[in-house]
């Protein structure tokens, strides 16, 4: 079904209709004048012979070309269904103050940022990707989409804050996954969560609760631990030890059937999504067909010119 993206341009049809009306009026007026002409033999000599209805054909085709061209100004479009992959991966990055520890070069946060960007670069472009940052709370920085530059920009702009709400990060990721449009498909899309952290939870719901929720939703959580047991960071003028809670991160991954890494390479991270599966929805989009209208109008204009040359030896 054809619809118009800028329907107000259909007003351009009005001058064409007025021109057509003027042409019809002119022909009727000419016929009235001919009936009042008393010298019929002279009128027959003056009028073109053998043209008849054909004298109007060129004008009619030309007016039709103008009508199509005017309609095309309203940007006609047809609805098409485009297949859309719904499979989704959520990146959750710890931005707690402990991520400033430099026991990992150059520090934990920058190492996590670099690993996250490498993961984004390797991820198939058809997958949705979202980003969550968490400290005392968890926030969706980029909702699931195929906009990779937005993800990279958000990763580069991460800012440290107090506390670590690891469980809240998982719950926030699950909520973002549920927000992916169905687009005609059934259920939530196949999904994975990749959580980059140095471990110890200090705020929000527990990691055990988060693991149970992810397991119930059938969403594996793969965790990547950054740091060493000797890590420390200056907080408020005091040097505090910030060891890595590998046990909690490993248990979260195991509970949800994800993977646990300490120093994951790009090739290893491909395990996260290689068995992910697919869920195809269909999104209706408008495909503009203005060029078809312009092409048909040009064709009719050429036909009008050809008929005029053929039957009257004139171009107009």
């Amino acid at each position: 079904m054809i619809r118009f993206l800028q329907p107000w341009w259909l007003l351009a049809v009005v001058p064409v209709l007025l021109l057509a009306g003027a042409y019809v009026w002119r022909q009727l007026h000419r016929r009235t004048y001919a009936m009042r002409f008393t010298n019929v033999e002279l009128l027959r000599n003056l009028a073109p012979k053998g043209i008849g209805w054909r004298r109007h054909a060129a004008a009619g085709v030309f007016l039709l070309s103008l009508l199509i061209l005017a309609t095309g100004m309203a940007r006609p479009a047809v609805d098409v269904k485009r297949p859309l992959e719904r499979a989704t991966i959520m990146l959750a990055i710890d931005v707690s103050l402990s991520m400033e520890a430099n026991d990992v070069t150059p520090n934990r946060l920058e190492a996590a940022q670099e690993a996250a960007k490498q993961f984004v670069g390797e991820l198939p472009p058809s997958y949705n990707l979202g980003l969550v940052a968490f400290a005392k709370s968890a926030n969706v920085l980029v909702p699931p989409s195929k906009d990779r530059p937005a993800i990279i920009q958000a990763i580069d702009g991460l800012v440290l804050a107090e506390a670590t709400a690891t469980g809240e990060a998982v719950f926030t990721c699950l909520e973002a996954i549920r927000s992916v449009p169905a687009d005609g498909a059934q259920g939530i899309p196949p999904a994975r969560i990749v959580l980059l952290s140095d471990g110890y939870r200090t705020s929000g719901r527990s990691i055990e609760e988060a693991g149970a929720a992810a397991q119930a939703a059938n969403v594996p959580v793969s965790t990547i631990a950054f740091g060493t047991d000797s890590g420390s960071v200056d907080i408020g003028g005091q040097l505090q030890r910030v060891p890595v809670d590998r046990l909690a991160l490993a248990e979260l991954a195991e509970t949800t059937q994800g993977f646990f890494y300490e120093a994951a390479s790009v090739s290893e991270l491909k395990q996260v999504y290689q068995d992910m599966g697919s869920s195809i929805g269909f999104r209706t989009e408008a495909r503009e067909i203005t060029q078809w209208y312009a092409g048909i109008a040009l064709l009719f204009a050429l036909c009008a010119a050809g008929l005029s040359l053929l039957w009257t030896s004139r171009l107009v």
Side-chain angles (χ1 to χ4, degrees), residues 43-290:
L43 180 61
R44 286 174 179 171
N45 291 331
L46 292 174
K49 295 180 180 180
I51 296 181
W53 63 270
R54 290 180 297 176
R55 74 170 67 176
H56 307 300
V61 174
F62 178 69
L63 286 170
L64 184 58
S65 73
L66 290 181
L67 183 64
I68 296 172
L69 193 60
T71 304
M73 293 180 67
R75 296 180 62 195
V78 293
D79 289 335
V80 295
K81 284 188 174 182
R82 183 171 67 89
L84 195 68
E85 176 61 75
R86 299 173 65 239
T88 301
I89 293 179
M90 292 297 301
L91 276 175
I93 301 180
D94 186 350
V95 291
S96 61
L97 295 179
S98 59
M99 291 291 284
E100 195 173 19
N102 58 8
D103 53 338
V104 175
T105 305
N107 62 46
R108 294 178 181 181
L109 178 61
E110 290 187 37
Q113 288 172 311
E114 184 60 30
K117 287 191 287 187
Q118 289 181 1
F119 180 79
V120 172
E122 291 293 325
L123 191 68
S126 60
Y127 288 170
N128 290 314
L129 180 64
L131 178 65
V132 166
F134 65 98
K136 189 174 183 179
S137 61
N139 299 291
V140 177
L141 300 186
V142 182
S145 72
K146 296 175 176 60
D147 188 354
R148 301 296 191 262
I151 296 285
I152 297 297
Q153 184 177 3
I155 291 173
D156 286 335
L158 292 175
V159 178
L160 296 174
E162 293 182 354
T164 307
T166 311
E168 294 300 328
V170 175
F171 280 107
T172 301
C173 287
L174 292 174
E175 193 64 33
I177 291 166
R178 284 190 286 268
S179 72
V180 174
D183 292 322
Q186 299 296 320
I188 67 170
R192 301 286 188 273
I193 296 172
V194 179
L195 188 142
L196 300 84
S197 176
D198 57 6
Y200 284 97
R201 179 192 67 86
T202 62
S203 179
R205 284 171 282 187
S206 70
I207 295 179
E208 290 75 18
E209 289 179 275
Q215 185 181 35
N218 195 28
V219 177
V221 181
S222 293
T223 57
I224 307 175
F226 287 89
T228 66
D229 292 334
S230 60
S232 61
V233 64
D234 187 338
I235 299 178
Q238 293 184 346
L239 194 64
Q240 297 187 16
R241 291 185 64 252
V242 283
V244 178
D245 190 359
R246 296 181 183 84
L247 180 60
L249 293 175
E251 286 182 352
L252 176 59
E254 184 180 358
T255 300
T256 61
Q257 297 183 351
F259 299 95
F260 170 69
Y261 306 100
E262 287 194 64
S265 66
V266 173
S267 59
E268 286 177 321
L269 286 175
K270 288 183 179 180
Q271 296 179 86
V272 171
Y273 56 84
Q274 66 182 3
D275 62 343
M276 190 167 174
S278 179
S279 174
I280 304 297
F282 291 91
R283 183 163 296 176
T284 301
E285 296 181 343
R287 178 177 295 173
E288 192 171 342
I289 55 172
T290 302

